[in-house]
Amino acid sequence: MAKMLKAFWRNASRGGGQKLREDCALMSRQLIVGLCLLLAASAWGREATKLASGEAHIHVGVLAVLDDQDTQHQWQPLLDGLSTALSGKRLHLHPLDPVGMERALKANELAFVITNPGHYVVVEARHGATRIATQTAAEGGDPAHAVGSTVVVRADRPLPEGLAGLKGQRVAAVAEQAFGGYQLVAAEWVREGIDAESGDVERLFTGYPMTRVLDAVLQGRADAAILRTCLLERWIGEGRLKPGVLRVVAPRPDSRLPCQTSTSLYPGWAFAASPHVPPDLAREVALALLTLPPDAQGTRWSVPADYQRVHDVLRTLEVEPYAFLRATRLEALARRYWFVIGGALALLALGMLYTLRVEALVKRSTAELTRSLDERDKLTRELEKDREAMDHLSRLSILGELSATLGHELNQPLATIANYTASLQRRVSQKRLADDALKQALQDIGSEAERAAHMLQGIRALARKRVVQRRRCDPSQLASEAVALFRGLQAHAPEVRLQIDSSCVGAAVMVDALQVQQVLLNLLKNALDAHRLAGMDAAPLLCRLHVQSGQVCLAVQDEGPTLSDEQRAHLFEPFFTTKPDGLGLGLPICRTIVEAHGGALRARPADEIGHAGGMVFEVWLPVLEAAQDLLTSAKDNPS
């Protein structure tokens, strides 16, 4: 201001007329604004002082849902009673519509407001008002169930079936922000799946007062009207409306009020204090409200009720203070971010096209892979047949090699049987046959016959082409039978020392017995050939059995020459042999048989395991439990 005055006198002394007029105008505007601010601050300070000292006139705004005269008639007795209870204070009533009350609250012209539950929630959110009491309907006496909506139609019109029956009809309401006059019914429509905003219901908003809604339905401009609960009965009682002219749509039988209502009941009107009201004054007014006797209509005031159900209604309708929920609707987001959504849809379409192309390529690749797998399975079956044929040929080869002296071995039991028979015949003719001699002779004949039959049975089983049959077997018994068959097929067979460790007691394997015996016969034959190449035909062969880490080991050890590392590297390859007349198929076939049983065939020098001698061939087979697991895994993963 000082600077402006200096500039003013400077311009005046220089004689600048235009500049002088502009400075005068600017200084005048600033002086007016400053004076207004000073007056407003002074008035606000005096008003706050008066409120605190108890000397002020207290202004109370009331939401006028009826005309001003009815509103004055309804609420003035309450304010008169409060003025009497609050000595030294005078309460003034101001009937206001929502717009007028909003303007008065912004200007801090109201100390208290009386409004419906829905409007109170908005006032609380916008201006920080605090409810100090809740109105209780005279008829019910429960502040939590005092406000509702009643939908009426003319008696000469069809009565809709429930609130959902109003779909497609013209419905009059006072305003979109009216809690009992519209929002409660609108919330019921939303729960029924009816979108009134989109045109499912033709809405007619008449504005305040609510008598306009009544006129709309009576004059036929609307098919139905939404009234505040108990207002219909009040108008009939006051003679404004004849009984029977209107009918209530979907009256609730469980209403706690004697009035007819079409919706649930919600907390009553709120008496709220503005943020600038001193706490002592708000407490004093609240105590006065709670102690006032019922008014002419029988209503009274109670402690503030819980307005959570009111919040639920406003949240359902997505209106203030929950209007922000509308901004998150899909249609709102679509309008706001249409370009982003369009781009995303374009990318999605491209992705779908790419996916379809990939799917077509995958189908083609899958078909090719299926054909390849079918061909592989066919080859696998053919290889299996070839392997079985090779196993059969291998057994025949072993029999061919071991049965060179078969006639000599069978001749022994047959010659013994013949000799005993001739001796018995001579003694019978000479009548010198004693019972003991006969018994011994018959026993020896039976033993030799059983020996020959057992030998022939083992040869027949090895020579027969058959389907693999796996069953529970005792590894000790398998080894014993293989050793016996080997010695029976050999002329002047060497001694075979069978050592069975105590860990084998009770152990069992799930194998094809003839295939395992085939492997052991092959290993014993190879050990015998190693002895013959080393000139040790009479040297004994060693066969050991033991259980280690859940596996049974059947080891055959010879005392022939030790194989070199290079020979051992190719030992199990087909057609590789260290024998002058060998084919090189025996050990590969044995390894295939053992691995098909989930085991392993290994070869190593005897000195690696602390034994003197040449080579040790070990057949490792899983015990019964481990074998079953491996077989199951092999079926699940045939590759």
Side-chain angles (χ1 to χ4, degrees):
M1 185 65 66
K3 291 182 180 179
M4 290 189 64
L5 291 174
K6 290 181 181 179
F8 172 77
W9 289 116
R10 185 168 58 252
N11 291 330
S13 62
R14 292 178 181 177
Q18 180 64 28
K19 184 65 174 176
L20 179 61
R21 286 193 296 271
E22 292 177 357
D23 289 343
C24 289
L26 177 61
M27 185 172 65
S28 299
R29 287 197 297 271
Q30 291 193 350
L31 285 173
I32 293 172
V33 171
L35 289 174
C36 291
L37 292 175
L38 289 173
L39 290 174
S42 176
W44 170 252
R46 289 196 302 272
E47 186 67 20
T49 303
K50 290 180 180 179
L51 286 174
S53 61
E55 300 174 356
H57 292 272
I58 302 174
H59 299 277
V60 180
V62 178
L63 183 65
V65 296
L66 304 175
D67 56 33
D68 291 347
Q69 183 176 357
D70 286 343
T71 302
Q72 193 80 25
H73 176 74
Q74 179 181 358
W75 296 107
Q76 188 59 51
L78 171 66
L79 269 64
D80 293 340
L82 288 176
S83 298
T84 302
L86 302 173
S87 58
K89 296 180 177 63
R90 181 65 178 171
L91 277 70
H92 299 277
L93 180 66
H94 299 277
L96 299 169
D97 60 10
V99 176
M101 185 171 290
E102 177 71 17
R103 188 183 302 112
L105 286 171
K106 283 185 177 180
N108 293 321
E109 295 175 354
L110 300 177
F112 298 94
V113 294
I114 303 174
T115 185
N116 66 46
H119 188 241
Y120 162 73
V121 172
V122 176
V123 170
E124 179 186 41
R126 287 181 179 177
H127 305 285
T130 304
R131 65 184 181 277
I132 60 176
T134 299
Q135 189 183 35
T136 300
E139 295 85 351
D142 183 2
H145 300 85
V147 172
S149 295
T150 302
V151 181
V152 296
V153 296
R154 280 170 46 178
D156 58 352
R157 290 181 177 269
L159 187 66
E161 295 182 2
L163 297 180
L166 296 172
K167 185 176 182 180
Q169 298 191 22
R170 296 170 299 170
V171 179
V174 63
E176 193 171 6
Q177 298 80 22
F179 187 71
Y182 173 73
Q183 290 178 339
L184 292 182
V185 176
E188 295 290 340
W189 281 336
V190 171
R191 299 185 187 104
E192 294 281 349
I194 298 175
D195 189 355
E197 294 184 4
S198 299
D200 289 349
V201 177
E202 185 180 346
R203 302 177 299 173
L204 174 63
F205 293 115
T206 63
Y208 293 95
M210 195 167 284
T211 52
R212 296 180 181 178
V213 177
L214 181 63
D215 294 338
V217 70
L218 291 176
Q219 296 170 6
R221 291 185 288 112
D223 299 315
I226 303 175
L227 304 177
R228 194 178 68 187
T229 298
C230 294
L231 194 57
L232 176 64
E233 288 79 3
R234 175 182 170 185
W235 282 340
I236 293 175
E238 293 176 351
R240 295 189 182 186
L241 186 65
K242 294 181 179 180
V245 174
L246 299 176
R247 291 191 296 173
V248 176
V249 178
R252 297 207 171 211
D254 57 346
S255 175
R256 302 190 182 188
L257 300 177
C259 310
Q260 296 187 85
T261 178
S262 302
T263 66
S264 300
L265 297 178
Y266 291 80
W269 280 44
F271 197 111
S274 299
H276 63 274
V277 173
D280 292 341
L281 177 59
R283 182 167 55 254
E284 188 177 357
V285 172
L287 291 175
L289 282 172
L290 297 178
T291 56
L292 284 178
D295 58 14
Q297 288 78 30
T299 59
R300 55 188 177 82
W301 294 88
S302 179
V303 294
D306 183 10
Y307 275 34
Q308 182 58 46
R309 295 171 60 232
V310 179
H311 283 269
D312 295 339
V313 170
L314 302 182
R315 189 183 297 108
T316 299
L317 297 177
E318 296 179 354
V319 296
E320 199 170 352
Y322 298 99
F324 65 90
L325 296 176
R326 292 175 178 264
T328 59
R329 286 184 181 179
L330 291 179
E331 54 268 25
L333 293 176
R335 287 193 299 270
R336 183 180 302 176
Y337 302 107
W338 63 268
F339 54 92
V340 177
I341 297 175
L345 290 177
L347 291 176
L348 181 60
L350 293 175
M352 292 179 64
L353 292 176
Y354 177 76
T355 301
L356 291 176
R357 173 168 175 76
V358 170
E359 185 176 354
L361 295 175
V362 169
K363 286 184 177 179
R364 186 169 64 185
S365 301
T366 302
E368 295 176 356
L369 180 60
T370 302
R371 287 195 298 270
S372 300
L373 291 176
D374 292 339
E375 293 177 0
R376 190 199 69 171
D377 293 341
K378 182 179 179 181
L379 291 175
T380 301
R381 290 192 294 270
E382 292 178 355
L383 289 174
E384 183 65 21
K385 292 180 181 179
D386 294 342
R387 189 185 65 80
E388 292 178 359
M390 188 64 69
D391 290 347
H392 184 229
L393 292 176
S394 175
R395 292 195 295 272
L396 294 179
S397 175
I398 294 173
L399 289 175
E401 294 179 12
L402 296 179
S403 61
T405 58
L406 179 60
H408 177 270
E409 293 299 321
L410 288 177
N411 188 52
Q412 276 187 331
L414 293 177
T416 302
I417 294 173
N419 290 335
Y420 275 116
T421 303
S423 176
L424 290 175
Q425 288 177 348
R426 287 195 305 272
R427 293 191 179 191
V428 168
S429 62
Q430 297 175 3
K431 298 181 179 181
R432 293 187 299 105
L433 183 60
D435 293 339
D436 293 340
L438 176 61
K439 183 177 180 181
Q440 181 63 41
L442 293 175
Q443 184 177 355
D444 291 340
I445 289 172
S447 177
E448 292 298 326
E450 184 178 355
R451 174 186 172 193
H454 184 72
M455 187 180 304
L456 290 175
Q457 183 181 2
I459 294 172
R460 188 184 302 111
L462 284 174
R464 184 173 64 248
K465 192 172 183 180
R466 48 184 286 281
V467 178
V468 175
Q469 297 178 350
R470 295 181 180 177
R471 58 184 178 83
R472 181 189 181 97
C473 298
D474 182 357
S476 302
Q477 182 179 356
L478 288 177
S480 301
E481 291 177 355
V483 170
L485 185 58
F486 173 77
R487 289 181 56 81
L489 294 173
Q490 286 293 314
H492 309 293
E495 179 185 2
V496 180
R497 298 174 182 173
L498 182 58
Q499 299 178 356
I500 301 176
D501 190 74
S502 61
S503 60
C504 296
V505 177
V509 290
M510 183 69 71
V511 296
D512 185 289
L514 291 180
Q515 285 189 332
V516 176
Q517 289 181 355
Q518 172 186 342
V519 173
L520 293 178
L521 284 175
N522 203 320
L523 297 181
L524 289 171
K525 178 62 173 60
N526 289 346
L528 178 59
D529 291 342
H531 281 195
R532 288 173 177 173
L533 288 175
M536 305 170 60
D537 295 19
L541 303 177
L542 180 59
C543 184
R544 295 190 302 274
L545 273 77
H546 69 279
V547 176
Q548 179 180 343
S549 301
Q551 289 187 313
V552 176
C553 178
L554 298 90
V556 176
Q557 179 181 344
D558 61 61
E559 297 184 7
T562 302
L563 300 178
S564 65
D565 294 340
E566 183 180 359
Q567 289 175 323
R568 291 202 303 273
H570 302 283
L571 192 59
F572 296 103
E573 295 179 359
F575 308 110
F576 175 82
T577 180
T578 58
K579 300 178 184 179
D581 55 350
L583 295 177
L585 294 175
L587 286 178
I589 292 175
C590 290
R591 186 176 192 177
T592 301
I593 293 174
V594 174
E595 290 180 349
H597 285 79
L601 177 59
R602 302 169 186 166
R604 51 180 171 171
D607 56 9
E608 288 187 4
I609 57 175
H611 293 276
M615 293 294 296
V616 176
F617 288 82
E618 298 175 339
V619 178
W620 293 86
L621 294 172
V623 295
L624 182 57
E625 293 77 8
Q628 290 176 339
D629 293 341
L630 288 173
L631 290 175
T632 303
S633 176
K635 291 179 181 179
D636 296 338
N637 302 281
S639 59

